[in-house]
Amino acid sequence: MADRYLDLVNAGPAKILAKKLGLPQPAVLRRYRPGAPLLPGPVLVLGSGSGADVLAKELLGWDLDVRRHVAPKERLGGIVLVLDELAAPEELADPMLTAGSSLRDLAPGGRIVTISRPATGTGQPAQAAARQAVDGALRSLAHELRGGATGNGIVLGEGVDAGAPAVLGALRFLLSGRSAYVNGQFLLVGSGVASLPADPDRPLAGKVAVVTGAARGIGAAIAETLHRDGARIIAVDVPAAGEQLAQVANRIGATALQLDITAADAGAKIAAHAAERNHGLDIVVHNAGITRDKLLANMDQAKWDSVIAVNLASQLRMNEQLLASGVLREAPRVVSLASTSGIAGNRGQTNYAASKAGIIGMVRASAAAFADAGGSINAVAPGFIETDMTARMPFVTREVARRLSSLQQGGRPLDVAEAVSFLASDAAGGINGQTLRVCGQSMVGA
Ligand code: NAD
């Protein structure tokens, strides 16, 4: 579904008029293109500690122009604020205000990333206050950015240094065009083993991935994106979607597996298919999902049960079967589709929101089992995404949902797929049990 308003306000007189009238001005987002520069200009690294020095050196190795001080009027591609040594709230003023003085020089599609530490319940109150203050400051700054620029944060887990490969993996994702529709979010990077790809344009080279619900929409975009990034794909969907599934599979040289994921042996069937055709499996993307919306007062058991069965119970069962099957190779990575409805709730979606909130609980509680297997399990929670599903919404509801985010537009299936591909890669090895929102910093449940 095309966002005609976005096209309109990015050309000619309508652009000037929208500005004058104070209307939303959604920007064309800077999305990833293989071979394109990581950032649209130099990166300013702020922070006086050793973490800032280490990161500045690493960024130089990525062929970026790195600045450690503000150069007046220089167009910047990004600003990295290294705040890992904060001990008291007063220390936040200098880096924040320095970043603020450079915001007018940030290029369209620019990136702000904070690097900080978690405010745990056991530290010094002043230190915890300073660390938590980063959260509020970054989320507010992300609301203020324009021109498709975004602001996100990396939180360093216990014993993780700013220069750890897992941090660099997350930083590269957040600076790149792959994170175009991720805004105002934090990624907690723990001590899980991560490695950066030899070729940043093919981070999934040599991997085998299964994607459920791959016949259309977000699932088809995920299958295509994982394939673009180097993976071989097993595309799964219900027999009724067989023709569309075959078309997607043919486009990307995937094998198609017609399967209802609610079948009691769905996980075993996927394992058998992967063992036979690909000699193993590295990545599982649980994307298939359904909605059966009704106000709870009008909800019948069939609507409730079918949503929980497809969106949640099937995944629990498949994960168990896949872990037990022996088909998963070293460092298996699972990515599940949640939804912002599962975080904020949504009228008419008690069943759907229950299933999607359940996913968030499932990945959190499954993290240890996948870490034991050398891998990880995470969720992606999309907000408003331009798909057939959202195209069917009434016009006004759709317009409101689109504009009620910092980026003032809906995301594309590709934007969700990029986040899935990142979490499925070994560069994301430090991220486990988490849910990443891909919602343009939607005001819903923000
Ligand atoms: P979609 O309805 O376009 O596609 C879902 C696919 O899953 C279909 O091809 C369908 O045939 C398949 N599927 C359904 N039940 C299945 C089953 N039992 N076995 C195998 N395959 C089955 O949906 P979409 O908009 O592309 O959404 C994909 C995922 O993203 C879903 O989990 C959805 O809840 C989630 N999501 C979507 C949005 C959005 O804005 N579109 C927002 C948040 C979350």
Side-chain angles (χ1 to χ4, degrees):
M1 177 82 193
D3 182 350
R4 296 220 170 77
Y5 178 81
L6 186 146
D7 297 338
L8 193 72
V9 294
N10 277 290
K15 189 172 184 173
I16 301 161
L17 192 66
K19 197 169 182 181
K20 273 199 179 142
L21 296 177
L23 295 173
Q25 290 180 280
V28 175
L29 301 184
R30 177 174 69 87
R31 292 188 165 88
Y32 168 75
R33 274 181 298 115
L38 183 63
L39 278 175
V43 59
L44 174 65
V45 179
L46 297 174
S48 50
S50 58
D53 293 339
V54 171
L55 274 178
K57 213 168 137 201
E58 291 288 349
L59 293 179
L60 273 174
W62 292 352
D63 279 344
L64 288 171
D65 281 335
V66 179
R67 307 277 183 265
R68 296 303 308 276
H69 300 284
V70 175
K73 300 265 175 260
E74 185 177 42
R75 199 74 156 154
L76 288 173
I79 304 174
V80 179
L81 290 106
V82 189
L83 307 167
D84 59 330
E85 294 181 11
L86 285 184
E90 294 76 16
E91 294 170 15
L92 194 53
D94 184 50
M96 284 304 294
L97 296 177
T98 307
S101 71
S102 295
L103 287 182
R104 285 198 178 81
D105 299 323
L106 194 63
R111 298 283 186 265
I112 312 269
V113 180
T114 58
I115 314 272
S116 59
R117 293 203 176 270
T120 59
T122 52
Q124 290 294 323
Q127 186 179 61
R131 291 176 172 185
Q132 192 71 39
V134 175
D135 197 284
L138 184 275
R139 288 183 204 271
S140 300
L141 169 56
H143 280 301
E144 294 175 13
L145 296 173
R146 288 294 172 259
T150 63
N152 293 289
I154 293 172
V155 178
L156 309 177
E158 184 78 31
V160 176
D161 293 328
V167 178
L168 298 177
L171 181 59
R172 194 171 178 107
F173 168 70
L174 292 175
L175 293 178
S176 77
R178 291 177 186 266
S179 62
Y181 200 59
V182 179
N183 197 21
Q185 305 305 309
F186 285 87
L187 279 170
L188 174 65
V189 173
S191 54
V193 178
S195 58
L196 300 181
D199 178 355
D201 288 328
R202 289 183 63 81
L204 304 180
K207 304 281 186 185
V208 176
V210 63
V211 181
T212 67
R216 66 173 195 222
I218 294 172
I222 293 170
E224 281 160 5
T225 304
L226 299 191
H227 165 72
R228 179 203 69 190
D229 286 348
R232 277 177 294 157
I233 309 296
I234 300 167
V236 172
D237 215 300
V238 286
E243 205 169 303
Q244 276 176 295
L245 183 68
Q247 281 169 12
V248 173
N250 285 343
R251 272 206 304 275
I252 58 174
T255 56
L257 174 60
Q258 293 187 8
L259 177 69
D260 184 334
I261 56 160
T262 60
D265 60 350
K269 285 232 165 79
I270 290 171
H273 182 98
E276 193 185 309
R277 310 282 178 99
N278 300 96
H279 312 294
L281 190 57
D282 303 283
I283 296 163
V284 179
V285 183
H286 292 302
N287 162 79
I290 58 169
T291 49
R292 295 287 181 270
D293 296 356
K294 276 281 174 210
L295 295 177
L296 187 60
N298 304 326
M299 182 80 67
D300 61 31
Q301 177 132 19
K303 284 198 173 58
W304 184 278
D305 286 349
S306 57
V307 167
I308 301 294
V310 176
N311 295 5
L312 184 57
S314 67
Q315 294 193 24
L316 285 160
R317 211 167 30 240
M318 283 190 283
N319 286 348
E320 248 177 54
Q321 291 174 5
L322 287 168
L323 274 171
S325 69
V327 77
L328 297 177
R329 294 202 281 225
E330 206 185 328
R333 309 218 178 272
V334 175
V335 187
S336 285
L337 268 286
S339 164
T340 49
S341 291
I343 297 168
N346 199 12
R347 188 179 151 83
Q349 290 200 316
T350 47
N351 52 353
Y352 181 76
S355 73
K356 294 301 186 179
I359 292 295
I360 296 170
M362 178 192 82
V363 300
R364 197 187 299 127
S366 307
F370 280 91
D372 285 348
S376 62
I377 176 167
N378 292 287
V380 167
F384 180 94
I385 305 298
E386 305 280 357
T387 60
D388 293 347
M389 188 179 93
T390 48
R392 285 195 295 271
M393 287 165 78
F395 173 78
V396 175
T397 319
R398 186 171 68 233
E399 261 313 288
V400 170
R402 267 179 180 153
R403 307 298 161 218
L404 266 187
S405 70
S406 293
L407 294 175
Q408 301 179 321
Q409 59 193 286
R412 296 184 188 165
L414 171 69
D415 298 327
V416 180
E418 295 284 13
V420 170
S421 180
F422 163 62
L423 290 172
S425 73
D426 291 336
I431 300 166
N432 197 7
Q434 291 187 54
T435 298
L436 174 62
R437 290 175 60 143
V438 180
C439 66
Q441 199 178 26
S442 166
M443 314 297 176
V444 174

